[in-house]
């Protein structure tokens, strides 16, 4: 059976997500701001949930139509064959919803109208006056953009950024899906040597290792659609086996992390073990001023603390200045730094080769990318002790 799916993502990562979807066999992609719609068979529901790194969730599209009034919304929803998915005893809460530049802007009113339309439809089909909603849950979601309505079922449940390995985190951690997008943009490969001098709870390190080893981010977790009776368990078994077979265990990838906070070091080590990539990652307690790259062709990806997140702006800019001094080994090393400070380059001391606008939560940021040959070493780095795993944890 052919299905239409919709996957929201962080603004700025649309092209990254689109490439992911194409690689896994998605067809007829429709790219909009913060969202990709695409087609596939029933297996794609499981494949997308298990394998997509930058999507926030996967939604099954049931219907799309235009509505400028509550009556048009009601009639449009009522035409959708919900009985093909929802049984007599199943629950169908209308949970998520949003409206942008549309005549219908009250989310709560739209939720009520959509629920009423679904109930009316199912009453006519099942000849019931009341639904107990004690069975499997089919969470209905909607989006209205310029009066164009899209009605979906949430196939994911808990958001896809919840990989399952990070039970705890330091203050203001970067979201796993955003980290995965940055890693894709940084061209992390199976033989990459990666460094993060602000590793926090280890998200950048772990996502990089999983990316390099082709470990599907959802391989160890469960999804809402696994409870749906019409989507057989064999589909999920097939797709988990497919993802398992794709894992590259012969990579030479290594990641090296450091953080000034000893609790962050301990937590990052724990999370890496939980993710199954602990042997690929080494983490030490270290101030960024002592950062160095002991290996050739290193890739640095980091999310340094900044004013809106943890520090006052002046302190953050001092850190950026220090980064500019220690990130001076130049080509062939590459550096990818996400920051909301529009004057980051001034503090860092070097203009980026390329910038890309991203959002970290609701905070607009820039990904500053340094990768061209003209970035030569400012000074020969001193020889320092090698990375060793902390004895903590």
């Amino acid at each position: 059976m052919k299905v239409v799916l919709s996957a929201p993502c962080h603004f700025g990562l649309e092209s990254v997500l689109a490439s992911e979807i194409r690689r896994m066999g998605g067809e007829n992609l429709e790219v909009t701001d913060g969202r990709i719609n695409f087609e596939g068979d029933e297996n794609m529901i499981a494949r997308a949930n298990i394998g997509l790194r930058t999507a926030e969730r996967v939604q099954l599209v049931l219907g799309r139509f235009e509505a400028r009034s509550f009556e048009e919304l009601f009639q449009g929803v009522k035409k959708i064959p919900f009985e093909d998915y929802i049984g007599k005893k199943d629950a169908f809460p209308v949970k998520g919803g949003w409206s942008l530049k549309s005549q219908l802007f009250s989310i709560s009113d739209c939720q009520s109208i959509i629920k009423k339309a679904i109930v009316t439809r199912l009453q006519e089909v099942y000849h019931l006056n009341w639904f107990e909603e004690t069975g499997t849950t089919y969470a209905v979601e909607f989006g209205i953009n310029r009066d164009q309505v899209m009605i979906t079922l949430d196939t994911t449940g808990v958001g896809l950024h919840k990989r399952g390995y990070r039970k705890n985190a330091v203050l203001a951690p970067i979201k796993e899906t955003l980290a995965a997008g940055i890693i894709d943009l940084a061209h992390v490969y199976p033989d990459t040597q990666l460094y993060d001098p602000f590793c926090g709870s280890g998200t950048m390190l772990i996502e990089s290792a999983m990316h390099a080893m082709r470990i599907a981010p959802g391989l160890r977790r469960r999804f809402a659609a696994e409870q749906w009776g019409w989507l057989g368990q064999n589909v999920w078994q097939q797709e988990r086996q497919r993802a398992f077979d794709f894992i590259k265990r012969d990579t030479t990838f290594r990641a090296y992390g450091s953080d000034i906070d000893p609790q962050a070091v301990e937590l990052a080590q724990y999370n890496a073990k939980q993710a199954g990539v602990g042997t690929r990652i080494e983490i030490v307690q270290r101030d960024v001023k002592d950062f160095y790259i002991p290996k050739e062709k290193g890739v640095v990806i980091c999310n340094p603390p900044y004013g809106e997140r943890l520090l006052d702006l002046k302190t953050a800019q001092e850190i950026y200045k220090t980064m500019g001094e220690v990130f001076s080994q130049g080509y062939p090393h590459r550096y990818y730094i996400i920051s909301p400070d529009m004057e980051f380059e001034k503090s860092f001391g070097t203009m980026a080769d390329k910038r890309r606008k991203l959002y970290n939560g609701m905070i607009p940021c820039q990904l500053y990318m340094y990768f061209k040959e003209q970035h030569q070493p400012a000074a020969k780095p001193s020889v320092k002790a090698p990375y060793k795993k902390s004895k903590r944890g």
Side-chain angles (χ1 to χ4, degrees), residues 124-171:
E124 294 176 359
V125 172
Y126 292 132
H127 306 291
L128 295 173
N129 292 322
W130 179 78
F131 295 95
E132 59 183 71
E133 297 195 52
T134 58
T136 301
T137 297
Y138 292 83
V140 179
E141 300 179 329
F142 70 92
I144 309 176
N145 186 12
R146 301 180 187 274
D147 301 320
Q148 298 301 310
V149 181
M150 183 167 68
I151 303 296
T152 63
L153 292 180
D154 175 32
T155 74
T156 300
V158 177
L160 289 179
H161 70 282
K162 295 288 188 180
R163 315 297 207 205
Y165 63 75
R166 194 171 74 178
K167 302 300 182 184
N168 298 293
V170 295
L171 288 175

Side-chain angles (χ1 to χ4, degrees), residues 11-185:
F11 288 105
L13 293 182
E14 293 88 353
S15 63
V16 176
L17 176 56
S19 294
E20 283 194 85
I21 292 170
R22 289 191 184 98
R23 286 196 296 268
M24 65 171 50
E27 300 174 342
N28 300 324
L29 276 66
E30 178 189 351
V31 182
T32 59
D33 289 343
R35 181 176 298 274
I36 312 290
N37 298 330
F38 60 103
E39 295 179 1
D41 57 16
E42 289 183 357
N43 278 55
M44 186 58 69
I45 296 174
R47 187 178 303 172
N49 274 297
I50 293 169
L52 289 178
R53 300 182 189 279
T54 56
E56 294 302 308
R57 61 182 58 252
V58 178
Q59 299 163 317
L60 176 63
V61 179
L62 301 185
R64 301 173 73 175
F65 54 89
E66 185 177 72
R68 290 187 171 87
S69 67
F70 288 133
E71 179 61 23
E72 289 178 340
L73 178 63
F74 179 89
Q75 294 299 334
V77 173
K78 187 171 177 289
K79 291 179 182 178
I80 297 172
F82 287 95
E83 65 275 9
D84 291 349
Y85 309 95
I86 301 171
K88 295 179 180 180
K89 295 184 178 181
D90 294 333
F92 46 99
V94 181
K95 287 190 173 180
W98 55 272
S99 179
L100 180 66
K101 298 179 180 178
S102 300
Q103 294 293 314
L104 302 176
F105 55 85
S106 171
I107 301 303
S108 59
D109 287 341
C110 288
Q111 285 177 311
S112 298
I113 295 296
I114 291 170
K115 180 71 174 185
K116 182 179 179 181
I118 299 172
V119 169
T120 301
R121 168 86 187 198
L122 294 180
Q123 282 177 334
E124 294 176 359
V125 172
Y126 292 132
H127 306 291
L128 295 173
N129 292 322
W130 179 78
F131 295 95
E132 59 183 71
E133 297 195 52
T134 58
T136 301
T137 297
Y138 292 83
V140 179
E141 300 179 329
F142 70 92
I144 309 176
N145 186 12
R146 301 180 187 274
D147 301 320
Q148 298 301 310
V149 181
M150 183 167 68
I151 303 296
T152 63
L153 292 180
D154 175 32
T155 74
T156 300
V158 177
L160 289 179
H161 70 282
K162 295 288 188 180
R163 315 297 207 205
Y165 63 75
R166 194 171 74 178
K167 302 300 182 184
N168 298 293
V170 295
L171 288 175
I174 192 168
K175 209 171 182 180
E176 291 88 339
T177 44
L178 177 57
I182 294 171
I183 288 158
D184 192 286
L185 292 168

Side-chain angles (χ1 to χ4, degrees), residues 213-274:
M213 296 177 68
R214 307 294 187 261
I215 299 174
L219 196 54
R220 298 187 175 198
R221 55 159 290 180
R222 298 291 174 178
F223 305 95
E226 291 190 65
Q227 304 301 316
W228 296 357
W230 58 268
L231 188 61
Q233 283 299 309
N234 62 309
V235 169
W236 296 93
Q237 292 168 1
Q238 290 169 8
E239 291 304 323
R240 283 198 168 88
Q241 185 61 51
R242 180 180 183 274
F244 187 79
D245 292 342
F246 272 133
I247 296 175
K248 293 178 66 67
R249 295 174 177 81
D250 59 348
T251 66
T252 57
F253 173 87
R254 299 290 298 180
Y256 303 89
S258 56
D259 200 285
I260 196 171
D261 182 358
Q263 291 183 326
V265 171
E266 187 173 358
L267 183 57
Q269 290 175 337
Y270 173 81
N271 289 339
K273 290 177 183 177
Q274 290 295 107

